[in-house]
Each structure stands twice: as C-alpha cells, then as structure tokens.
Amino acid sequence: MAEEKTRSLHVPGNLHAPEKTLDLLHELQVHQIELEMQNEELRKTLAELDTSRSQYFDFYDRAPVGYSTINLEGQILQANLTTARLLGTERSSLLKQPFTRFILKEDQDTFYLLCKKLVEDESAISCELRMTRPDGTQFWARIEAILVNNEIGEPLLRIVFSDISALKQNEEDLRVAAIAFESQLGIMVSNADGIIIKVNQAFTTLTGYSAEEAIGQKPHLLSSGRHSKAFYQSMWSTLQTTGYWQGEIWNRRKNGKIYAEWLTISQVSAPDGHVSHYIGTFSDITANEDAAAEIHRLAYYDPLTNLPNRRLLEDRLNQALASAYRSHMYGVILFLDLDNFKLINDTRGHAVGDLLLIEVARRLHQVVRKGDTLARLGGDEFVVIMENLSVDIQQTTVLIEQIGEKILIELARPYLFKGYEFHCSASIGAGVYCEHQETSEELLRHADIAMYHSKKAGRNTLRFFDPAMQAAVSIRAALEKDLRHALEQSQFLLFFQSQVNHDGEIIGAEVLVRWRHPERGLVSPQDFIPLAEDTGLILPIGQWVLDTACAQLKLWENTEATRHLQLAVNVSARQFRQTGFVEQVKQSITQHTINPALLKLELTETLVLDNVDDTIAKMSQLKEIGVRFSMDDFGTGFSSLAYLTQLPLDQLKIDQSFVRNMGVKPRDAIIVQTIIGMANNLGMEVIAEGVETEAQRAFLEEHGCPSCQGYLFSKPVPVEQFETLLAQ
Ligand code: C2E
Ligand code: MG
Ligand code: MG
C-alpha cells in the first residue's frame, strides 16, 4: 500500500508549481492520516494478540490437567501450574528435574515403556501409573503423551496427566462389591416398587430361578402361601419404620418344594431420603437341621453333664405341676448341693471338679427312676423332679425319704480320679407339691431353702421344706431391708459391759452394739450381726462402732476417774479382712487423738485361722502403734499352740460356755485351768467372760484368772448407767 501511495505521488507535471506544492501538501496530509489509521489498526491487532496470548497462558496454567514438556532425557522443560499443584511442588523447582522423580519406583518401568513405544511409533499413547509427591503422598495418574519437534527439529514429549485416584477407588469398591454380591447367601435387589432388578448366582442355586426369570418379577414369585397376609403386613411395616427386617420365612422353589430361609431385608435410601432399593439376603435353613439340633442342645442342656439345664428344668417343672393338677398325685423336687465341691475344685483343680460333677450326674442317673427329671442348675447344684409318687402324703414322704437316703449313700461313696480318692457328700432339700397353687419358681425356692437347712443341720442329709422355714426367710429378708437404713437413721447404740480386776474394780468395758428397731425394739447383735456380715453392711456398722468407742475414750480422757478405762471392741471377720482395715483403725485413733493402748480389738479364733498370714500382718501393723488384741471366745475354735505363739496377742478371753459349766462338767474346769496356764506361759493376760456367780469368780481367781466380765458385775448397759456403776 505504501508503494502504491509513493507511485501516486509522481503525478503528471502539467500543473503550476504553487498549485503543485499545495496539492502535494494535501496529499501528504491525507497520506499521514491514512498512516495513522493504519498504525492504530496495528496497535489494536497487537493488543488483541497480547490478550489472547495471556488468555492462552491462563488456560494453559489453570487447566484441570497437568501439561508438561520433557526432552528425550526425561527432563522437564516446561510445566503448567496444575502440574506443579498435582506434584505438590513449585513450578520453578520442577524445571530440569527428571519427570520420573515423581513416579513411584515400581511404576517407572511403565513410563519407560510408554516413552519407548512413543519414540518408535510416534503416535499418541497413554498409561496409568502411581505418582508420588515430595511429601511422600501418592496418587493414581493417567498419562497421555505425544511426540513433537521443537523449532530446531529436536523431538520432545508433551505430557498430559490427571489425578484418577477417586476413579481407581471406585473401581476397587465395585470389584469388592461384585465379589461380595456373588457370596454364598442368596441376594435379590429390587427397586422402590418392589420389582426385582438383580439377583446373584446363589439366588438361582437356592430358588431354582435364573436371573432372567427373576428380574422384572416381584418377590411374590417365591411365596409359599404358608404365611398370612398379616405376616407380610407386619414385615412391611417393620421395614418401613426401621428400614430393616429379619426373620425366618417359608418360600417355594421353582420346582415347587417349600423351604425355610433366614431372610434379612435392608432398605436403601437415596441421599434425598427416598427409598431407592430393597436388598434381600437369605440362606436356606432347612438344611441346617443338625445345626438346629445342636443349638437346641446348647440352649437346653448342660454341656458338661448333658443333663437338662435350668431352662429345660423350668419347662419340665411346669409340665409336672400341670400333670399333678390333673392326677391329684404328689410329686417332689429335690434340690441337691454338694457339700465340699468348692474345696475339691479349688485344691484339686477344675479338671477334677469337672470329673466329679460328671460322676455325680452318672450316679444320680442310677438312683432316680426312669421318667424322673434330673437337671443341673449350675455349679454343684442338681435338681431331681419325681412325679406321681402317691396320692397319700404319708406314703409320699416315706418314698422321698427312701430315695433321698439312696442318693445320699450313692453320692457319699468315695470317688476315684487320677489315682486319688475323693470324698464328697450332698445336702438335699425336698419341696413336695400336689395340686397346690405354687409356681415352679416358688417350688424351686422352697426346695432351696430346705437344702440350706440340711446344710445347717450338718450336711449329708435331707430336709423337707416347711412353711416355718419360709417364715424365717421372710423375717430375715424384712430385717435385711430395715438394716440397710438403720445406720443413716441412727438406730444403733452402744452398750458397755464392765470388765473388773481381782479387787472388783472396773478396769474397762466391752462395747456391745444394739439395734433400736422402730417396731421390734432392741435387737440383739446375735440376730443381726450375721445378717450384716452376709450383706456386707458390717463394714459401715463396724466402722461406726469403732468410731463411737474412740469418741467415748476421748470423752473419758477429761476425767480422772475414767481416764484409765480400756474399751474392748469386737471385730468381725469380714470387717477385719477388708483391705484398708488397718488404715481405718489408725484413722479413728488419730481423728479422736486417743491413746491407742486403751483400745483392745477382740478377734475370734475362726477369724484368725481363716488366713493366719494376713492376720499376723494386720495385727502387727496395729500393734506397732500400741493397739491391743484379745482372743474372744477362746477354747471354742481349733486353736493350736503352734499359731497361738505366732500371733501378737495380749489377752485370751475364756469363752463363757466353759465358765458356765465349770462347776458342772469337770472337763470344762480342766479346760479353764489349761487356758489360764497357757496364757501365763505365753506371757498373755487372761480374762473370763460370762461370770455369773461368786463361785465362778472365786474358782477363776483361785486358778490365776482374776479378771472377769459377766452379769455378776454388770449386764451390758448404756453409757450413763455404766458411768453410774463407776462412781459406786
Ligand atoms: P461376745 O463378743 O462374745 O460378747 C459377749 C456376749 O455375752 C454379749 O452378748 C454379752 O451380753 C453376753 N454376756 C456377757 N456376760 C454374760 C453373762 O454373765 N451371762 C450371759 N448369759 N451372757 C453374758 P451380746 O451383747 O448379745 O453379743 C453377742 C455377740 O455379738 C458378741 O459376742 C459379739 O460376737 C457380737 N457383737 C456384739 N457387739 C458387736 C459389735 O459391735 N461388732 C461385732 N462385730 N460383733 C458384735
Ligand atoms: Mg466380744
Ligand atoms: Mg465372747
């Protein structure tokens, strides 16, 4: 265009000079305007080019995939920002790096093969491999590559790659789901309308219907006609409310055979909450008859002895009661508890214990009649139900006694296991029934109570339940209920019974607890201490006694006349055995800041013997701070000199039964003398309790026991009365 303009300046020379100049000027001006216009166009084009170039770079950098160019040595020459982001690094630090640095070692061969193939074929090619970032994290990448040449004809690789980890995960999930779907369980998937859309191979095996036959049908296809409409209605309503149903259902196979299946239906909901599918999984349980029998056996029989267990026993007992109601005949349930099973089990081991139980079951089988029920309740407890004994109660009783005797003899015969001989007996309680209104549970309890009385009567014997036993149990239960609140309602109080020396001077007292029951009046410790022991209530009660005694000692400290008094406190076995007993005593002493030497703890022989080592340890710890110990009811237990010498005792307390009988049984007088001699020889004090007569006191004094406690001096009395006694 510029050339054309230049040419058009050489116009014909027939014009005058000034005119020519003007024309030329004009033309120049036009030309300049045109040039400026052209310039403007060029600038615009350049600007447009600039914009699209930066647009290109934007697209390039922010593309959802990584673009990079590498040379044939594998060095990265160029990379977009996405590459840097995917590889978890800065773009600048990518340049000149080998691309394989970001490929997992195990997958680098895949990449080399890709490159090799590309150079040979020069076609676009792709692969999947795992890439790794400098921070150690990994991801699955899909890589596509092409071969290009640069300006100077060098071959380069253009690489496009993307993160396909999520895709890979989905694939894997699908693969697992597909394997799970082809499990041993029949599976059927139906849509929200209940139309079957998918079944597995096991479905076909179990039902006989192929996938083609089942798909498009409703599960009704399998219906056996055995269940009522109500059954299916309740199934659907459960499914709708809980999203889940499980149960046994009878269905029909394609060949018409009815079978039982265990079916679980789960509802699948779409994210918006609407039900999208139902999945039914089922197994054929008709084939499991053996398993069912085994399950039944486990549920109703004791695995060790194969005898019916408690569940089956209750069933049988109910049947027996119903049949007695019709036949008017008496029957009995015998409750058996082995007498020394625990000891054998603990000392000889559980294997021997098991053998013993099996043998007991065998012997019982031999004794009871065919048709009687023999059951094991657990542990060493067995029950026999004998029905239709007689219509006459006398005859029934005789029969029961005969059978009971047989059982006792049979079970008491020696047992021989592993070359050792064992001895074991049983205590039996009998609960007779006829057309009574008792429930099976009550009957079982009656027999249990009677068994307990057999134990109390010395074991290896049989006792019949009688209502008086029940009354005793009820009283005990009521008392126990009250005892639980006695402490918080301050119903306990302490009585003091004086202990005197040879001059008849009071040197101290034994504190004896009393329970002031709102209805029963004063309850003797003999009636509630055993109960408190059994229930564990002895712990807080014992603590209260100890505390109250210490508080009393503290009060007495203030007065000359009482400052020297000692208090003897009874300690029961459970209280002594509890961990922390020593600390509790120490705490009471420090809390009340009393002189520990004024506190004497009374222990019994049975308590001490139960665990001599623990006893010595605890006694020694308390002796260290000055607490004293007396052996209560001495002579009634099985004390041996051997352990008596080991115990840090201060005093022996001769039991009142010997004192009472001193004048009656010469043997008891000798025992008393022996105890006194023993105490003297061991360097211990001795005191006699239950001294009621002057003769007794005189005898004791004569034989070296001047300290006494008993009604002769005072009964146990409240503290005020005791203090009056002191003043006299
Ligand atoms: P124990 O420790 O052998 O107490 C002596 C029992 O003999 C007391 O009966 C007492 O009242 C009674 N007694 C004392 N002198 C005579 C007498 O001359 N003639 C007769 N016939 N009896 C006499 P109590 O108070 O009924 O206590 C009975 C048992 O209860 C005590 O026997 C003791 O083992 C237990 N006990 C009492 N208080 C407590 C206590 O605070 N804690 C514990 N763990 N046991 C206690
Ligand atoms: Mg005592
Ligand atoms: Mg005593």
Side-chain angles (χ1 to χ4, degrees):
M1 202 159 55
E3 220 173 290
E4 254 174 70
K5 293 287 170 199
T6 323
R7 235 186 286 127
S8 66
L9 279 176
H10 299 282
V11 287
N14 53 350
L15 293 169
H16 295 293
E19 262 176 55
K20 231 175 148 181
T21 314
L22 268 177
D23 274 356
L24 262 176
L25 200 66
H26 175 73
E27 216 172 309
L28 265 175
Q29 277 169 345
V30 172
H31 189 62
Q32 192 176 354
I33 291 169
E34 270 180 6
L35 267 180
E36 266 169 21
M37 278 167 66
Q38 280 166 17
N39 228 347
E40 181 58 24
E41 221 165 284
L42 202 65
R43 257 204 307 276
K44 238 171 95 187
T45 315
L46 266 179
E48 272 166 15
L49 203 66
D50 236 21
T51 316
S52 69
R53 216 178 102 92
S54 77
Q55 242 171 25
Y56 161 75
F57 273 113
D58 262 2
F59 287 142
Y60 172 74
D61 269 343
R62 296 180 204 290
V65 291
Y67 291 117
S68 51
T69 308
I70 65 175
N71 60 20
L72 286 192
E73 279 82 60
Q75 284 175 322
I76 300 172
L77 306 177
Q78 234 181 25
N80 70 344
L81 277 179
T82 311
T83 297
R85 182 174 56 73
L86 284 172
L87 297 182
T89 180
E90 297 287 318
R91 173 153 49 187
S92 55
S93 58
L94 278 175
L95 299 182
K96 292 273 150 58
Q97 288 283 339
F99 188 72
T100 47
R101 224 195 86 185
F102 299 95
I103 295 174
L104 201 71
K105 249 204 178 69
E106 293 88 320
D107 290 1
Q108 287 184 353
D109 279 351
T110 314
F111 185 70
Y112 287 129
L113 278 177
L114 175 93
C115 297
K116 193 164 161 265
K117 208 148 175 276
L118 198 56
V119 176
E120 284 164 5
D121 290 8
E122 298 200 357
S123 54
I125 216 160
S126 69
C127 70
E128 286 173 5
L129 44 71
R130 283 164 297 173
M131 301 198 76
T132 163
R133 305 184 178 95
D135 68 3
T137 55
Q138 294 178 9
F139 65 99
W140 270 100
R142 181 182 163 76
I143 292 191
E144 277 170 63
I146 48 168
L147 201 64
V148 294
N149 290 317
N150 69 358
E151 320 79 59
I152 54 164
E154 268 176 350
L156 298 174
L157 292 180
R158 283 262 152 79
I159 290 181
V160 185
F161 71 102
S162 53
D163 182 348
I164 56 163
S165 302
L167 209 72
K168 278 277 174 194
Q169 184 63 46
N170 279 348
E171 269 175 22
E172 193 161 313
D173 289 352
L174 280 176
R175 213 174 39 244
V176 172
I179 292 169
F181 190 70
E182 288 309 335
S183 75
Q184 295 302 305
L185 290 173
I187 303 179
M188 135 180 101
V189 183
S190 50
N191 64 16
D193 299 326
I195 308 245
I196 301 173
I197 56 166
K198 198 169 157 75
V199 298
N200 68 351
Q201 183 53 45
F203 172 95
T204 303
T205 315
L206 293 170
T207 66
Y209 289 103
S210 68
E212 294 74 35
E213 288 167 322
I215 290 170
Q217 302 276 346
K218 288 204 164 187
H220 184 69
L221 172 75
L222 303 170
S223 164
S224 66
R226 277 212 182 182
H227 298 283
S228 64
K229 229 175 152 180
F231 174 85
Y232 292 107
Q233 270 167 0
S234 111
M235 175 168 130
W236 276 103
S237 87
T238 310
L239 200 53
Q240 269 157 13
T241 46
T242 66
Y244 187 79
W245 184 87
Q246 197 173 44
E248 199 179 304
I249 188 166
W250 291 93
N251 272 344
R252 189 188 297 274
R253 288 188 232 276
K254 192 182 169 191
N255 65 12
K257 265 207 169 146
I258 288 180
Y259 68 102
E261 65 178 38
W262 183 255
L263 172 65
T264 306
I265 310 178
S266 315
Q267 195 172 280
V268 181
S269 301
D272 67 359
H274 279 93
V275 175
S276 63
H277 296 92
Y278 296 100
I279 301 177
T281 48
F282 60 94
S283 56
D284 187 345
I285 51 176
T286 345
N288 286 356
E289 266 161 23
D290 286 351
E294 178 62 10
I295 288 166
H296 180 269
R297 204 181 60 75
L298 287 174
Y300 290 103
Y301 289 85
D302 160 42
L304 181 67
T305 59
N306 261 327
L307 294 180
N309 63 11
R310 182 185 283 272
R311 255 166 90 179
L312 186 53
L313 171 79
E314 278 168 13
D315 262 19
R316 297 264 173 95
L317 196 51
N318 284 326
Q319 283 170 21
L321 289 178
S323 118
Y325 196 76
R326 289 189 298 270
S327 68
H328 309 292
M329 286 178 88
Y330 284 97
V332 69
I333 106 168
L334 300 179
F335 198 113
L336 272 92
D337 188 292
L338 301 184
D339 290 331
N340 26 14
F341 177 73
K342 193 173 152 19
L343 187 74
I344 293 176
N345 207 35
D346 289 352
T347 56
R348 300 297 178 161
H350 292 235
V352 171
D354 284 355
L355 287 175
L356 180 67
L357 292 170
I358 293 169
E359 177 61 12
V360 165
R362 199 188 63 78
R363 292 187 190 184
L364 284 172
H365 253 308
Q366 289 184 334
V367 181
V368 301
R369 307 169 309 169
K370 246 199 162 108
D372 291 340
T373 296
L374 183 59
R376 178 173 170 228
L377 280 196
D380 57 348
E381 294 175 342
F382 294 85
V383 165
V384 185
I385 309 176
M386 293 195 284
E387 297 184 63
N388 304 329
L389 288 173
S390 164
V391 285
D392 174 51
I393 182 69
Q394 302 293 337
Q395 215 173 341
T396 302
T397 315
V398 172
L399 274 173
I400 295 171
E401 272 171 343
Q402 283 172 354
I403 296 166
E405 187 64 15
K406 258 202 222 161
I407 293 178
L408 290 174
I409 291 173
E410 195 52 38
L411 296 189
R413 282 196 300 111
Y415 296 79
L416 209 78
F417 306 125
K418 301 186 172 171
Y420 287 98
E421 198 177 282
F422 298 92
H423 291 269
C424 188
S425 56
S427 298
I428 309 179
V432 180
Y433 65 87
C434 189
E435 36 198 330
H436 301 144
Q437 299 301 312
E438 286 127 344
T439 63
S440 59
E441 217 173 288
E442 281 165 348
L443 247 178
L444 210 56
R445 201 167 49 240
H446 288 173
D448 189 9
I449 292 171
M451 184 279 294
Y452 178 72
H453 281 262
S454 295
K455 290 256 181 218
K456 283 222 303 203
R459 307 168 161 211
N460 192 22
T461 183
L462 179 142
R463 283 284 180 277
F464 284 88
F465 172 78
D466 89 61
M469 292 178 180
Q470 177 74 59
V473 171
S474 309
I475 288 176
R476 199 180 134 96
L479 215 57
E480 181 185 327
K481 194 170 133 266
D482 295 343
L483 193 60
R484 295 195 177 276
H485 306 289
L487 205 57
E488 69 206 41
Q489 294 178 358
S490 313
Q491 290 171 356
F492 292 113
L493 60 157
L494 286 188
F495 274 22
F496 296 75
Q497 185 175 33
S498 40
Q499 299 185 329
V500 302
N501 67 9
H502 53 93
D503 292 329
E505 280 169 4
I506 297 177
I507 49 170
E510 177 177 7
V511 295
L512 295 155
V513 69
R514 296 291 179 267
W515 177 16
R516 202 199 305 274
H517 190 282
E519 287 122 43
R520 294 171 202 273
L522 276 193
V523 184
S524 145
Q526 257 137 354
D527 293 333
F528 73 85
I529 292 285
L531 188 61
E533 276 258 338
D534 288 351
T535 54
L537 287 166
I538 192 69
L539 303 181
I541 296 174
Q543 181 65 42
W544 176 85
V545 171
L546 192 66
D547 257 347
T548 315
C550 289
Q552 189 58 59
L553 284 172
K554 186 70 197 170
L555 275 176
W556 283 341
E557 225 177 59
N558 298 327
T559 316
E560 182 62 44
T562 52
R563 194 165 293 159
H564 65 287
L565 292 172
Q566 301 177 7
L567 279 183
V569 173
N570 293 287
V571 175
S572 81
R574 184 136 177 207
Q575 189 186 355
F576 186 78
R577 289 288 165 237
Q578 72 171 311
T579 43
F581 171 74
V582 171
E583 285 65 38
Q584 276 186 9
V585 177
K586 283 184 178 171
Q587 212 208 324
S588 283
I589 291 170
T590 36
Q591 189 193 332
H592 297 281
T593 59
I594 57 153
N595 173 5
L598 297 178
L599 185 65
K600 193 164 26 177
L601 300 182
E602 291 195 1
L603 309 180
T604 60
E605 279 173 289
T606 34
L607 178 157
V608 167
L609 281 176
D610 181 42
N611 184 347
V612 180
D613 291 340
D614 179 60
T615 308
I616 294 177
K618 285 184 168 157
M619 285 174 76
S620 309
Q621 287 175 49
L622 288 169
K623 276 231 61 109
E624 255 170 46
I625 62 162
V627 176
R628 293 151 57 82
F629 286 94
S630 177
M631 178 72 97
D632 202 357
D633 307 338
F634 190 72
T636 55
F638 301 94
S639 313
S640 75
L641 261 178
Y643 84 79
L644 208 57
T645 53
Q646 291 177 42
L647 296 171
L649 281 167
D650 299 277
Q651 186 182 62
L652 296 183
K653 195 169 189 187
I654 307 169
D655 188 66
Q656 45 184 297
S657 60
F658 304 117
V659 175
R660 190 174 307 129
N661 293 327
M662 275 182 323
V664 193
K665 292 187 194 164
R667 199 186 77 116
D668 283 8
I670 293 172
I671 290 177
V672 170
Q673 282 170 275
T674 311
I675 295 175
I676 297 170
M678 217 145 101
N680 287 336
N681 289 333
L682 293 172
M684 296 177 191
E685 294 167 16
V686 62
I687 186 168
E689 69 178 331
V691 181
E692 294 184 353
T693 64
E694 177 51 34
Q696 288 166 346
R697 193 205 63 78
F699 181 92
L700 287 160
E701 184 167 22
E702 188 185 326
H703 291 93
C705 176
S707 303
C708 292
Q709 175 184 341
Y711 292 176
L712 179 63
F713 312 98
S714 163
K715 289 199 166 181
V717 291
V719 70
E720 303 76 27
Q721 251 170 286
F722 176 73
E723 282 170 351
T724 320
L725 275 176
L726 273 175
Q728 283 167 5

